[in-house]
Amino acid sequence: MSSKKADVSIKTDNLIKDFQIPKGEDVKVLTGVKMEVKAGEFIAVMGPSGSGKSTLLNILATLEPLTSGEVVIGDFDLEDSTYKDKLEIRRLHSSIVFQSFALIPYLTAIENVKLPMKLRKIPEKEAEEKAVKHLESVGLYGRLNHLPEELSGGEQQRVAIARALAHDPKIIYADEPTGNLDTFTGREIIHLFKQLVKEKNITIIMVTHDSESAKQTDRIYILQKGKVLTEKSKSKSKKNTKKEGRKK
Ligand SMILES: Nc1ncnc2c1ncn2[C@@H]1O[C@H](COP(=O)(O)OP(=O)(O)OP(=O)(O)O)[C@@H](O)[C@H]1O
Ligand SMILES: [Mg+2]
C-alpha cells in the first residue's frame, strides 16, 4: 500500500464538465481538460474568473462528479469508481485547502486539526501528538489553544494546512490559498508549500491569480474556455527571467 501511495499521480484526458441548470441552459464549464501531474510536483492552475479552476479542483478532489472523460488519481479511475472508492481516494490521498480557511470557528487550532483524526477514530493521545507535530511543521507555535478569530489570516491558513496534513495525504489541492492574505503572508504560505513538496514529496495543485506565486511552482496550467490553454514549465520561465535580466 505505501509503495502505491508514493506513486500517486494525476492524469486527465478530455475531461468534460457541464452543469445542468433546471431553469436555464446547461453551463459547459470544462470542455476537454488534459493534464498530467507526477507525484511530488507543485502545480499552479491559473485562468480568468469563471474559467473552471475551482470546478476542476473539486472534481480532482472527488467533491464534484465529472460529466465525462478520463480522470485517473493514482490507481483509481474516477469514471468507474464507486462511492466507496471515492471515499478511499479521499482517505488515502488528498486534502483540500480553501481561500476562506474553512476552520470551525468554535474549535481551537489544535481541536480543528484533531477533528478529522477524531472522525477517523484515531485514539485521542495519538491525535493530540500528531496535531502538535503538524502544527509545528507548518510553523505554528504557541497558538495551539487559540480560536480561529484569535489568529491572524496567515496563522489560520497554517492551521488549515496542518489539518490537511492530518492524514498524511499524497496530494493537497489548494484553491486560492493566499487569496485572503497580504502579499508577504501569502509568500510565506507558498514557501511552506514548497517545503512540503520537497520534504514530504506531496503533490500540490494550487489555483492562484497571483503570477508571482505561480512562478514558484514547477509548472503552470492556464485554463481558458474550459481547456488547458498553455502549460508553462518552471525551467522556461526561469530562462526567460535570466534573459530579461541580461538585457537590462
Ligand atoms: N454548481 C454549479 N451550478 C451551475 N454552474 C456552476 C456551478 N458551479 C460553478 N458553476 C459555473 O461554472 C463556471 C466556472 O466556475 P468556477 O467556480 O470553477 O470558476 P473559477 O475559475 O474558479 O472562477 P474564480 O476565479 O472566480 O474563482 C462559472 O461560470 C460558474 O457560474
Ligand atoms: Mg474559483
Side-chain angles (χ1 to χ4, degrees):
M1 189 61 89
S2 58
S3 65
K4 271 187 187 171
K5 271 184 89 176
D7 296 333
V8 170
S9 57
I10 301 156
K11 191 177 163 220
T12 75
D13 201 6
N14 204 22
L15 167 56
I16 290 176
K17 175 68 184 179
D18 303 331
F19 283 109
Q20 259 97 42
I21 309 290
K23 290 187 180 169
E25 271 184 41
D26 288 1
V27 186
K28 294 183 186 310
V29 180
L30 303 178
T31 56
V33 172
K34 186 178 171 68
M35 57 194 288
E36 217 166 301
V37 177
K38 290 192 206 81
E41 275 193 299
F42 185 13
I43 300 288
V45 177
M46 301 188 80
S49 181
S51 58
K53 304 178 298 296
S54 296
T55 305
L56 173 65
L57 223 60
N58 290 339
I59 291 172
L60 296 177
T62 77
L63 300 175
E64 181 74 62
L66 60 140
T67 303
S68 64
E70 188 190 6
V71 179
V72 181
I73 316 273
D75 301 325
F76 293 94
D77 187 332
L78 276 197
E79 226 193 355
D80 304 331
S81 61
T82 60
Y83 177 71
K84 227 177 135 195
D85 288 340
K86 285 182 186 141
L87 287 183
E88 189 71 356
I89 299 173
R90 270 178 242 166
R91 192 180 69 79
L92 280 180
H93 296 324
S94 64
S95 280
I96 189 155
V97 172
F98 301 94
Q99 176 176 5
S100 59
F101 320 133
L103 296 173
I104 305 215
Y106 52 84
L107 293 182
T108 63
I110 191 157
E111 286 166 350
N112 264 285
V113 180
K114 273 161 65 177
L115 185 64
M117 294 191 264
K118 269 192 169 173
L119 297 175
R120 291 193 170 97
K121 310 246 181 324
I122 292 178
E124 168 66 23
K125 193 167 171 275
E126 189 185 336
E128 175 87 13
E129 282 169 7
K130 278 194 162 180
V132 172
K133 186 188 91 180
H134 290 309
L135 283 161
E136 286 179 356
S137 79
V138 298
L140 200 76
Y141 302 92
R143 298 281 187 278
L144 273 47
N145 296 312
H146 286 227
L147 291 169
E149 65 179 15
E150 296 161 348
L151 296 168
S152 72
E155 287 166 347
Q156 289 184 56
Q157 194 57 296
R158 284 173 197 272
V159 175
I161 295 168
R163 180 182 56 186
L165 292 171
H167 68 294
D168 297 318
K170 289 310 295 177
I171 307 167
I172 291 181
Y173 299 108
D175 197 351
E176 298 188 47
T178 63
N180 278 344
L181 305 175
D182 63 73
T183 310
F184 179 76
T185 313
R187 299 280 139 82
E188 284 186 332
I189 295 294
I190 301 295
H191 179 73
L192 172 62
F193 279 156
K194 283 181 86 168
Q195 220 177 309
L196 293 174
V197 168
K198 201 169 150 203
E199 289 169 10
K200 297 182 192 264
N201 199 37
I202 291 179
T203 306
I204 298 183
I205 302 195
M206 172 180 74
V207 169
T208 181
H209 283 286
D210 176 32
S211 49
E212 283 306 311
S213 299
K215 273 187 200 156
Q216 298 295 316
T217 66
D218 298 319
R219 280 187 302 130
I220 307 171
Y221 281 103
I222 298 181
L223 271 190
Q224 198 151 27
K225 296 193 177 137
K227 284 196 169 64
V228 170
L229 180 73
T230 35
E231 191 192 319
K232 294 182 190 166
S233 74
K234 191 180 172 184
S235 52
K236 254 190 194 168
S237 47
K238 254 194 174 172
K239 262 184 212 160
N240 289 343
T241 322
K242 271 185 194 162
K243 266 187 198 161
E244 276 164 21
R246 269 189 223 125
K247 268 185 213 161
K248 277 178 196 168

